[in-house]
Amino acid sequence: MLKQYKLRDYRFRLILWIILLSVLGIMIIGSADKDIQNKQIAGLVMGLIVMIIVSLIDYVWLLKFYWIFYFTGMALLVAVHFVGVEAGGATRWLNLGFTQLQPSDVMKIVLIMFFAQFFSVHEDDLSTFKTIIKAVIIAAVPCYLILKQPNLSTCLLTMILFCAIYFAAGLSYKIIAGIIAVVAPLIVILVGIILKPGQTLIQEYQLLRILAWLYPDQYPDQAAQQVNSIIAIGSGQLYGKGLETTAVESVKNGNFLAEAQTDFIFAVAGEELGFLGCCIIIILEILIVLECIWIGKNAREFSGTLICCGMGALIGIQSIMNICVATGLMPNTGLPLPFVSAGLTSLMTLFIGVGLVLNVGLQVKKY
């Protein structure tokens, strides 16, 4: 389980990017909601400790229990539907007494680990019909449970993550082309159905978010969050108004930003740190993703490569979705910005995932 590792193989650069981004996030969170800043600091400290511990455990040994991890994650998702905590019309959390756990965040890391091992086992028959159907069913079940919470955004993120890992595993390009040829027109048809009055495919609040994004002038109440977010980012100009600004014209100070500490943390960054601050956040997210991919490229095992690609995809895709929502490039989804937004479950699971990546980096190829 534990091996003798060489210190020179430890990827301190990845840890540096994460600490810089997390500290920046803590500063922005303190400006958005001072009451939860200390909680986020504690999360960072605990996350670093857990990350270091996980990074010293042989990931190859851990992946032997991939089915146990999968069914444990499934059990947590099922438990949400029976004893979950409801908030804002959705039941997505489990009350652990000292904190709340969001199983959908845990399931993202579980699926990365699971499919890293699953595709490693099926490396020689990745593109066969049997393997594809089996993998799709395994991914679809947790996606369905997440969708029913309801949590459409995390469901879509999980589906995209699955596709990214399968692509990295080496799915045949012919099959990918065939899937795109079938799925593309289906998406167009699906969107057409969703936009029709009386549809039952998605819930009313989800439809209103899409309509508010497409026609903000016709749905001012539903579009207000994103409109205010765009105004906040634009008002920061190049250098921003400064952290914890007391400016009267501040969008944040006027309480015009809902969920400023989580979903719209990028808007707070734009207003208070300006264009340069936003660029720093984006660059750090990109550096973390590239570091994951680089470590995966030099992984000793195929499963290690997939773990790194999965974590890189998760951080990259979730960052893109959060920033696109804050800038009005896609409908409101409610996803946190990795290592920046408040939320202990999200932060801790990300640190666990990075710990796995660091362990992959400790077990480099022998040339």
Side-chain angles (χ1 to χ4, degrees), residues 110-265:
V110 168
L111 287 178
I112 289 173
M113 296 177 66
F114 179 89
F115 283 113
Q117 181 65 12
F118 180 84
F119 290 141
S120 181
V121 171
H122 292 276
E123 187 174 2
D124 296 328
D125 60 345
L126 277 173
S127 300
T128 62
F129 181 78
K130 181 180 179 181
T131 301
I132 293 173
I133 293 300
K134 189 184 296 184
V136 168
I137 292 173
I138 290 170
V141 177
C143 284
Y144 175 77
L145 291 174
I146 293 171
L147 179 64
K148 296 301 288 183
Q149 292 179 353
N151 195 345
L152 178 60
S153 57
T154 302
C155 174
L156 292 174
L157 173 62
T158 305
M159 292 168 60
I160 297 171
L161 178 62
F162 165 71
C163 293
I165 297 173
Y166 212 151
F167 174 79
L171 183 63
S172 170
Y173 285 100
K174 292 181 180 179
I175 294 177
I176 294 174
I179 292 173
I180 293 174
V182 173
V183 171
L186 285 178
I187 292 176
V188 175
I189 295 171
L190 187 64
V191 171
I193 294 173
I194 288 174
L195 294 178
K196 286 184 178 180
Q199 62 82 33
T200 56
L201 290 176
I202 61 174
Q203 298 193 23
E204 184 179 358
Y205 83 92
Q206 295 168 338
L207 174 62
L208 287 174
R209 285 185 177 183
I210 296 173
L211 292 173
W213 175 64
L214 293 172
Y215 312 107
D217 294 336
Q218 298 179 28
Y219 299 88
D221 292 339
Q222 291 77 18
Q225 292 185 53
Q226 285 188 289
V227 171
N228 292 336
S229 174
I230 295 169
I231 292 173
I233 294 172
S235 69
Q237 300 186 34
L238 183 60
Y239 300 109
K241 300 172 183 176
L243 281 171
E244 301 187 35
T245 178
T246 57
V248 178
E249 70 277 9
S250 169
V251 177
K252 182 209 69 180
N253 291 343
N255 293 321
F256 295 118
L257 281 176
E259 303 298 333
Q261 76 282 5
T262 53
D263 303 347
F264 288 93
I265 194 73

Side-chain angles (χ1 to χ4, degrees), residues 269-331:
E271 181 175 59
E272 302 195 344
L273 300 178
F275 177 76
L276 290 179
C278 290
C279 286
I280 291 172
I281 290 174
I282 293 172
I283 289 171
L284 286 172
E285 297 281 9
I286 291 173
L287 287 173
I288 292 170
V289 172
L290 291 178
E291 198 69 37
C292 289
I293 294 173
W294 180 255
I295 292 172
K297 182 181 177 183
N298 296 290
R300 189 188 67 189
E301 306 286 343
F302 182 58
S303 58
T305 298
L306 295 183
I307 286 176
C308 294
C309 289
M311 278 306 300
L314 172 60
I315 295 169
I317 296 167
Q318 190 165 316
S319 297
I320 290 171
M321 293 177 73
N322 177 278
I323 293 171
C324 283
V325 167
T327 53
L329 296 177
M330 65 180 290

